[in-house]
Amino acid sequence: MSVARHNFSRHAFAKHSDVPAFQCPYCDFRNNCSHMVVSTHVQEQHPDQPIKVVSNSDISEQLITRCFPGYQEP
């Protein structure tokens, strides 16, 4: 399988983690592809709340290392 370099993090979260990459702080909505999807969700579903997105990017490096051993950031 081939994964484009800019999709390493997306692949790692989608295929190798039960933790979503991005999630709504107000409900169970989650998304592995884009924080903008969650931002739009917050705007539409929680209009009285500040627009926030919970990011789990801190574990991204661990997942990328597990999925792509030997990979180093350029």
Side-chain angles (χ1 to χ4, degrees), residues 21-41:
F22 308 101
Q23 61 191 53
C24 175
Y26 310 112
C27 69
D28 290 334
F29 184 81
R30 47 184 61 195
N31 186 276
N32 278 326
C33 297
S34 170
H35 72 283
M36 291 304 297
V37 171
V38 179
S39 292
T40 300
H41 160 83

Side-chain angles (χ1 to χ4, degrees), residues 1-36:
M1 180 178 77
S2 171
V3 177
R5 185 177 304 241
H6 65 277
N7 288 331
F8 279 4
S9 182
R10 183 185 309 176
H11 165 85
F13 274 103
K15 300 295 182 186
H16 304 288
S17 175
D18 58 354
V19 176
F22 308 101
Q23 61 191 53
C24 175
Y26 310 112
C27 69
D28 290 334
F29 184 81
R30 47 184 61 195
N31 186 276
N32 278 326
C33 297
S34 170
H35 72 283
M36 291 304 297

